[in-house]
Amino acid sequence: MAEAPAVEVPTAREVRAEIRDWRRGRAELRWGEVLSDGYIALFCVAMIGAMGGNVVLTLRRLADDTCVGACSDVRTAVPWLVALAVALLALGLARLLGPVFSPPAANAWLLSSPVDRGALLRPGWWRTAGLTVTLAGLVLLAPAVLGGFSLTEGAVFLLAGAATALACVSIAALSQVHEDRRSRWLTWAITAALWLALSLSATRGAGAVPGVPIGAGLAVTGLAVLAACAMFWRSRLELARVPRRVLGYTEHLSPSLSGALSSVDLGLMYDVLLARRWGRGAHVRSRTGGPLGWWALVHRDLLRAVRTPQPFVLLAGLVLVPYAAAGAGAGRAVVLVTTLLGLLGGPAMCAGLRVVVRTQSLARMLPLRRQSLLLAHLVVPGTALLLFALATTSTLLPTHLAGEAVNVSVACWLSSLAATVRWVTGKPPNYAAPMVSTPAGGVPTGVFGSLARGFDVWAFTALPLMFGTGGVLVSTAISVGVIAYLVRDSAD
């Protein structure tokens, strides 16, 4: 019996070349259209970059002329705080989205073939690393300019910050490949460092940050670059060991996020991330018993808070930010910082409320009115926001009396709660209604309004707090009215 001829397995480079040739052979755009789109993109980037650069340089000149005392201390500490925040943000996004990523088509067709998996994933890993370094450098450019750095010091700062962000993403990639918890521990370590730096700023310790000599800065930057390169190269070598099951966690995330962002629906994007978060940690220990009726929903939210206390811990850590702003001489503008932080931290604590709002079939199965459901799910996040607002009362004492400061804190709580309810209970874009005519074509009603959802209520309720007792009454009335209207409107 004749043996079957051996089939030569193509290399990953040959497979990618064949796919690239197939795509280019079916391209529909002409060179004129490509050049036109590229020109428009470059023009927009140059225009926005010029506008942003002009604003940053103007703020730099104002800071050089007017910033003295505590302001100069905060100005010295801000670049380091932003650098830690950028590293934490890069690590958090890498853990959430997965730095080692493959599209659904590649995961289904290419990764199941007898081709070197690492060779297929390395081009994407190079793009992820390049995007991390570029975005980190762009974000750190503004604090480097506002921090008063010279050209050499600014270059060293940008290089060190970008290298730190790349090292964090590389550690997240290794943690994804080996399915361990090293990236989680690193996240908590960076969070603790950022919290410590904020506590120093809040207690007027920002001026204790010593000036780093240029020689020491170059040495630290060199070590950071070497560590980032070493972690990046090790992650590149370990890509061949990543299981398809791990890549499958992010297989459907990219199309879902792309669809949510294409429709400018931030609520849908939050739902996708929420489903991914609870889908990966769906194995929990069930607990029976508890109260009945309306309080049963509150009890469920308490159990959910015990299982995932990260949003509440984050909100507790953000208490230091208003104190840092007060130490920098923000004055009455501290209320804007407090209410904005409440809006940013509030939606993460409203998972139960979000499920009830977006899943109407589940709400109909519960033996309660929809208005009662929403109010029940507001108890736990509302209590957390109230404690957060009361914890910042001391920041209002320089500009308010003791009793008035408590009233302003309660008004800040109502403002944050109203803005949070507005964001969580927002309705998705209505594709059944007539389109709105725009220069970009037909757009469903409510698409552009979803970008300002929550922030509109924050502006209307937080700005009056800066104008004394009358402003507090106006803000409280608007906040209570917004909460009552949103709960009633959602109940209909």
Side-chain angles (χ1 to χ4, degrees), residues 209-236:
V209 178
V212 180
I214 189 62
L218 288 174
V220 173
T221 302
L223 292 177
V225 171
L226 290 177
C229 293
M231 299 304 300
F232 168 77
W233 194 257
R234 183 182 174 186
S235 302
R236 179 183 178 277

PDB file of all heavy atoms in Angstrom, residues 209-236:
ATOM      1  N   VAL A 209       8.610  66.252  48.353  1.00  0.00           N
ATOM      2  CA  VAL A 209       9.149  65.497  47.225  1.00  0.00           C
ATOM      3  C   VAL A 209      10.452  66.153  46.786  1.00  0.00           C
ATOM      4  O   VAL A 209      10.453  67.304  46.351  1.00  0.00           O
ATOM      5  CB  VAL A 209       8.159  65.469  46.053  1.00  0.00           C
ATOM      6  CG1 VAL A 209       8.749  64.715  44.871  1.00  0.00           C
ATOM      7  CG2 VAL A 209       6.860  64.815  46.496  1.00  0.00           C
ATOM      8  N   PRO A 210      11.589  65.496  46.936  1.00  0.00           N
ATOM      9  CA  PRO A 210      12.868  66.140  46.626  1.00  0.00           C
ATOM     10  C   PRO A 210      13.080  66.243  45.126  1.00  0.00           C
ATOM     11  O   PRO A 210      12.541  65.471  44.337  1.00  0.00           O
ATOM     12  CB  PRO A 210      13.898  65.211  47.275  1.00  0.00           C
ATOM     13  CG  PRO A 210      13.242  63.871  47.242  1.00  0.00           C
ATOM     14  CD  PRO A 210      11.748  64.113  47.408  1.00  0.00           C
ATOM     15  N   GLY A 211      13.870  67.198  44.725  1.00  0.00           N
ATOM     16  CA  GLY A 211      14.253  67.307  43.334  1.00  0.00           C
ATOM     17  C   GLY A 211      15.241  66.214  42.962  1.00  0.00           C
ATOM     18  O   GLY A 211      16.237  66.001  43.652  1.00  0.00           O
ATOM     19  N   VAL A 212      14.978  65.510  41.876  1.00  0.00           N
ATOM     20  CA  VAL A 212      15.834  64.403  41.459  1.00  0.00           C
ATOM     21  C   VAL A 212      16.930  64.951  40.552  1.00  0.00           C
ATOM     22  O   VAL A 212      16.622  65.605  39.551  1.00  0.00           O
ATOM     23  CB  VAL A 212      15.013  63.329  40.716  1.00  0.00           C
ATOM     24  CG1 VAL A 212      15.906  62.172  40.291  1.00  0.00           C
ATOM     25  CG2 VAL A 212      13.882  62.837  41.604  1.00  0.00           C
ATOM     26  N   PRO A 213      18.210  64.745  40.892  1.00  0.00           N
ATOM     27  CA  PRO A 213      19.284  65.193  39.989  1.00  0.00           C
ATOM     28  C   PRO A 213      19.175  64.496  38.638  1.00  0.00           C
ATOM     29  O   PRO A 213      18.652  63.383  38.519  1.00  0.00           O
ATOM     30  CB  PRO A 213      20.565  64.802  40.746  1.00  0.00           C
ATOM     31  CG  PRO A 213      20.137  64.631  42.167  1.00  0.00           C
ATOM     32  CD  PRO A 213      18.720  64.162  42.130  1.00  0.00           C
ATOM     33  N   ILE A 214      19.684  65.170  37.625  1.00  0.00           N
ATOM     34  CA  ILE A 214      19.557  64.636  36.280  1.00  0.00           C
ATOM     35  C   ILE A 214      20.315  63.321  36.127  1.00  0.00           C
ATOM     36  O   ILE A 214      19.878  62.413  35.413  1.00  0.00           O
ATOM     37  CB  ILE A 214      20.040  65.679  35.248  1.00  0.00           C
ATOM     38  CG1 ILE A 214      19.700  65.216  33.840  1.00  0.00           C
ATOM     39  CG2 ILE A 214      21.511  65.958  35.426  1.00  0.00           C
ATOM     40  CD1 ILE A 214      18.266  65.066  33.559  1.00  0.00           C
ATOM     41  N   GLY A 215      21.436  63.166  36.854  1.00  0.00           N
ATOM     42  CA  GLY A 215      22.177  61.902  36.780  1.00  0.00           C
ATOM     43  C   GLY A 215      21.396  60.751  37.374  1.00  0.00           C
ATOM     44  O   GLY A 215      21.312  59.663  36.781  1.00  0.00           O
ATOM     45  N   ALA A 216      20.800  60.993  38.558  1.00  0.00           N
ATOM     46  CA  ALA A 216      19.980  59.939  39.175  1.00  0.00           C
ATOM     47  C   ALA A 216      18.750  59.639  38.320  1.00  0.00           C
ATOM     48  O   ALA A 216      18.337  58.480  38.187  1.00  0.00           O
ATOM     49  CB  ALA A 216      19.564  60.359  40.580  1.00  0.00           C
ATOM     50  N   GLY A 217      18.158  60.681  37.717  1.00  0.00           N
ATOM     51  CA  GLY A 217      17.008  60.450  36.844  1.00  0.00           C
ATOM     52  C   GLY A 217      17.353  59.605  35.640  1.00  0.00           C
ATOM     53  O   GLY A 217      16.591  58.721  35.247  1.00  0.00           O
ATOM     54  N   LEU A 218      18.520  59.866  35.046  1.00  0.00           N
ATOM     55  CA  LEU A 218      18.948  59.058  33.909  1.00  0.00           C
ATOM     56  C   LEU A 218      19.192  57.607  34.319  1.00  0.00           C
ATOM     57  O   LEU A 218      18.869  56.681  33.570  1.00  0.00           O
ATOM     58  CB  LEU A 218      20.204  59.661  33.292  1.00  0.00           C
ATOM     59  CG  LEU A 218      20.013  60.974  32.519  1.00  0.00           C
ATOM     60  CD1 LEU A 218      21.357  61.532  32.089  1.00  0.00           C
ATOM     61  CD2 LEU A 218      19.113  60.750  31.308  1.00  0.00           C
ATOM     62  N   ALA A 219      19.759  57.407  35.514  1.00  0.00           N
ATOM     63  CA  ALA A 219      20.013  56.038  35.973  1.00  0.00           C
ATOM     64  C   ALA A 219      18.704  55.288  36.211  1.00  0.00           C
ATOM     65  O   ALA A 219      18.548  54.126  35.794  1.00  0.00           O
ATOM     66  CB  ALA A 219      20.851  56.066  37.258  1.00  0.00           C
ATOM     67  N   VAL A 220      17.747  55.955  36.876  1.00  0.00           N
ATOM     68  CA  VAL A 220      16.450  55.307  37.126  1.00  0.00           C
ATOM     69  C   VAL A 220      15.730  55.037  35.813  1.00  0.00           C
ATOM     70  O   VAL A 220      15.113  53.973  35.618  1.00  0.00           O
ATOM     71  CB  VAL A 220      15.605  56.186  38.060  1.00  0.00           C
ATOM     72  CG1 VAL A 220      14.193  55.619  38.195  1.00  0.00           C
ATOM     73  CG2 VAL A 220      16.254  56.294  39.424  1.00  0.00           C
ATOM     74  N   THR A 221      15.806  55.983  34.882  1.00  0.00           N
ATOM     75  CA  THR A 221      15.164  55.778  33.582  1.00  0.00           C
ATOM     76  C   THR A 221      15.795  54.618  32.826  1.00  0.00           C
ATOM     77  O   THR A 221      15.096  53.819  32.194  1.00  0.00           O
ATOM     78  CB  THR A 221      15.266  57.067  32.752  1.00  0.00           C
ATOM     79  OG1 THR A 221      14.641  58.132  33.469  1.00  0.00           O
ATOM     80  CG2 THR A 221      14.575  56.898  31.409  1.00  0.00           C
ATOM     81  N   GLY A 222      17.131  54.514  32.895  1.00  0.00           N
ATOM     82  CA  GLY A 222      17.790  53.389  32.246  1.00  0.00           C
ATOM     83  C   GLY A 222      17.360  52.056  32.826  1.00  0.00           C
ATOM     84  O   GLY A 222      17.116  51.091  32.081  1.00  0.00           O
ATOM     85  N   LEU A 223      17.247  51.996  34.164  1.00  0.00           N
ATOM     86  CA  LEU A 223      16.768  50.758  34.787  1.00  0.00           C
ATOM     87  C   LEU A 223      15.328  50.444  34.379  1.00  0.00           C
ATOM     88  O   LEU A 223      14.980  49.279  34.133  1.00  0.00           O
ATOM     89  CB  LEU A 223      16.878  50.879  36.305  1.00  0.00           C
ATOM     90  CG  LEU A 223      18.298  50.923  36.891  1.00  0.00           C
ATOM     91  CD1 LEU A 223      18.243  51.125  38.401  1.00  0.00           C
ATOM     92  CD2 LEU A 223      19.054  49.638  36.555  1.00  0.00           C
ATOM     93  N   ALA A 224      14.475  51.483  34.311  1.00  0.00           N
ATOM     94  CA  ALA A 224      13.086  51.256  33.908  1.00  0.00           C
ATOM     95  C   ALA A 224      13.009  50.759  32.471  1.00  0.00           C
ATOM     96  O   ALA A 224      12.228  49.848  32.157  1.00  0.00           O
ATOM     97  CB  ALA A 224      12.284  52.547  34.075  1.00  0.00           C
ATOM     98  N   VAL A 225      13.816  51.332  31.593  1.00  0.00           N
ATOM     99  CA  VAL A 225      13.806  50.897  30.196  1.00  0.00           C
ATOM    100  C   VAL A 225      14.307  49.464  30.068  1.00  0.00           C
ATOM    101  O   VAL A 225      13.734  48.645  29.327  1.00  0.00           O
ATOM    102  CB  VAL A 225      14.645  51.856  29.334  1.00  0.00           C
ATOM    103  CG1 VAL A 225      14.840  51.300  27.931  1.00  0.00           C
ATOM    104  CG2 VAL A 225      13.981  53.220  29.274  1.00  0.00           C
ATOM    105  N   LEU A 226      15.375  49.126  30.801  1.00  0.00           N
ATOM    106  CA  LEU A 226      15.884  47.750  30.758  1.00  0.00           C
ATOM    107  C   LEU A 226      14.857  46.762  31.299  1.00  0.00           C
ATOM    108  O   LEU A 226      14.656  45.679  30.715  1.00  0.00           O
ATOM    109  CB  LEU A 226      17.185  47.655  31.543  1.00  0.00           C
ATOM    110  CG  LEU A 226      18.412  48.345  30.923  1.00  0.00           C
ATOM    111  CD1 LEU A 226      19.612  48.225  31.863  1.00  0.00           C
ATOM    112  CD2 LEU A 226      18.734  47.734  29.569  1.00  0.00           C
ATOM    113  N   ALA A 227      14.195  47.122  32.403  1.00  0.00           N
ATOM    114  CA  ALA A 227      13.175  46.228  32.962  1.00  0.00           C
ATOM    115  C   ALA A 227      12.004  46.062  31.999  1.00  0.00           C
ATOM    116  O   ALA A 227      11.489  44.949  31.808  1.00  0.00           O
ATOM    117  CB  ALA A 227      12.686  46.777  34.305  1.00  0.00           C
ATOM    118  N   ALA A 228      11.588  47.160  31.362  1.00  0.00           N
ATOM    119  CA  ALA A 228      10.479  47.073  30.412  1.00  0.00           C
ATOM    120  C   ALA A 228      10.856  46.214  29.209  1.00  0.00           C
ATOM    121  O   ALA A 228      10.055  45.379  28.756  1.00  0.00           O
ATOM    122  CB  ALA A 228      10.069  48.470  29.959  1.00  0.00           C
ATOM    123  N   CYS A 229      12.070  46.395  28.691  1.00  0.00           N
ATOM    124  CA  CYS A 229      12.507  45.586  27.546  1.00  0.00           C
ATOM    125  C   CYS A 229      12.604  44.113  27.910  1.00  0.00           C
ATOM    126  O   CYS A 229      12.217  43.229  27.130  1.00  0.00           O
ATOM    127  CB  CYS A 229      13.843  46.098  27.025  1.00  0.00           C
ATOM    128  SG  CYS A 229      13.767  47.739  26.274  1.00  0.00           S
ATOM    129  N   ALA A 230      13.116  43.829  29.128  1.00  0.00           N
ATOM    130  CA  ALA A 230      13.235  42.436  29.560  1.00  0.00           C
ATOM    131  C   ALA A 230      11.867  41.791  29.716  1.00  0.00           C
ATOM    132  O   ALA A 230      11.648  40.652  29.254  1.00  0.00           O
ATOM    133  CB  ALA A 230      14.012  42.365  30.874  1.00  0.00           C
ATOM    134  N   MET A 231      10.915  42.502  30.342  1.00  0.00           N
ATOM    135  CA  MET A 231       9.577  41.947  30.515  1.00  0.00           C
ATOM    136  C   MET A 231       8.863  41.807  29.174  1.00  0.00           C
ATOM    137  O   MET A 231       8.142  40.821  28.943  1.00  0.00           O
ATOM    138  CB  MET A 231       8.762  42.832  31.455  1.00  0.00           C
ATOM    139  CG  MET A 231       9.338  42.963  32.858  1.00  0.00           C
ATOM    140  SD  MET A 231       9.572  41.368  33.683  1.00  0.00           S
ATOM    141  CE  MET A 231       7.911  40.764  33.705  1.00  0.00           C
ATOM    142  N   PHE A 232       9.074  42.776  28.285  1.00  0.00           N
ATOM    143  CA  PHE A 232       8.455  42.686  26.963  1.00  0.00           C
ATOM    144  C   PHE A 232       8.992  41.485  26.192  1.00  0.00           C
ATOM    145  O   PHE A 232       8.225  40.740  25.566  1.00  0.00           O
ATOM    146  CB  PHE A 232       8.720  43.983  26.187  1.00  0.00           C
ATOM    147  CG  PHE A 232       8.390  43.886  24.731  1.00  0.00           C
ATOM    148  CD1 PHE A 232       7.077  43.929  24.299  1.00  0.00           C
ATOM    149  CD2 PHE A 232       9.396  43.723  23.781  1.00  0.00           C
ATOM    150  CE1 PHE A 232       6.771  43.844  22.946  1.00  0.00           C
ATOM    151  CE2 PHE A 232       9.098  43.628  22.436  1.00  0.00           C
ATOM    152  CZ  PHE A 232       7.786  43.683  22.025  1.00  0.00           C
ATOM    153  N   TRP A 233      10.310  41.269  26.225  1.00  0.00           N
ATOM    154  CA  TRP A 233      10.894  40.158  25.475  1.00  0.00           C
ATOM    155  C   TRP A 233      10.485  38.809  26.069  1.00  0.00           C
ATOM    156  O   TRP A 233      10.225  37.852  25.324  1.00  0.00           O
ATOM    157  CB  TRP A 233      12.409  40.293  25.456  1.00  0.00           C
ATOM    158  CG  TRP A 233      13.057  39.397  24.436  1.00  0.00           C
ATOM    159  CD1 TRP A 233      13.704  38.217  24.650  1.00  0.00           C
ATOM    160  CD2 TRP A 233      13.075  39.612  23.024  1.00  0.00           C
ATOM    161  NE1 TRP A 233      14.134  37.686  23.476  1.00  0.00           N
ATOM    162  CE2 TRP A 233      13.768  38.521  22.452  1.00  0.00           C
ATOM    163  CE3 TRP A 233      12.595  40.614  22.188  1.00  0.00           C
ATOM    164  CZ2 TRP A 233      13.981  38.418  21.081  1.00  0.00           C
ATOM    165  CZ3 TRP A 233      12.805  40.514  20.833  1.00  0.00           C
ATOM    166  CH2 TRP A 233      13.498  39.427  20.294  1.00  0.00           C
ATOM    167  N   ARG A 234      10.401  38.749  27.383  1.00  0.00           N
ATOM    168  CA  ARG A 234       9.970  37.485  27.998  1.00  0.00           C
ATOM    169  C   ARG A 234       8.508  37.195  27.648  1.00  0.00           C
ATOM    170  O   ARG A 234       8.147  36.047  27.368  1.00  0.00           O
ATOM    171  CB  ARG A 234      10.137  37.551  29.512  1.00  0.00           C
ATOM    172  CG  ARG A 234       9.782  36.243  30.195  1.00  0.00           C
ATOM    173  CD  ARG A 234       9.906  36.314  31.682  1.00  0.00           C
ATOM    174  NE  ARG A 234       9.436  35.089  32.310  1.00  0.00           N
ATOM    175  CZ  ARG A 234       9.326  34.905  33.612  1.00  0.00           C
ATOM    176  NH1 ARG A 234       9.662  35.894  34.441  1.00  0.00           N
ATOM    177  NH2 ARG A 234       8.882  33.765  34.096  1.00  0.00           N
ATOM    178  N   SER A 235       7.679  38.225  27.643  1.00  0.00           N
ATOM    179  CA  SER A 235       6.281  38.024  27.243  1.00  0.00           C
ATOM    180  C   SER A 235       6.200  37.576  25.790  1.00  0.00           C
ATOM    181  O   SER A 235       5.374  36.728  25.441  1.00  0.00           O
ATOM    182  CB  SER A 235       5.492  39.321  27.439  1.00  0.00           C
ATOM    183  OG  SER A 235       5.551  39.756  28.775  1.00  0.00           O
ATOM    184  N   ARG A 236       7.061  38.131  24.948  1.00  0.00           N
ATOM    185  CA  ARG A 236       7.072  37.740  23.542  1.00  0.00           C
ATOM    186  C   ARG A 236       7.421  36.266  23.386  1.00  0.00           C
ATOM    187  O   ARG A 236       6.844  35.556  22.548  1.00  0.00           O
ATOM    188  CB  ARG A 236       8.070  38.606  22.788  1.00  0.00           C
ATOM    189  CG  ARG A 236       8.203  38.280  21.310  1.00  0.00           C
ATOM    190  CD  ARG A 236       9.263  39.149  20.659  1.00  0.00           C
ATOM    191  NE  ARG A 236       9.434  38.807  19.250  1.00  0.00           N
ATOM    192  CZ  ARG A 236      10.181  37.807  18.814  1.00  0.00           C
ATOM    193  NH1 ARG A 236      10.842  37.046  19.689  1.00  0.00           N
ATOM    194  NH2 ARG A 236      10.271  37.557  17.506  1.00  0.00           N
TER     195      ARG A 236
END
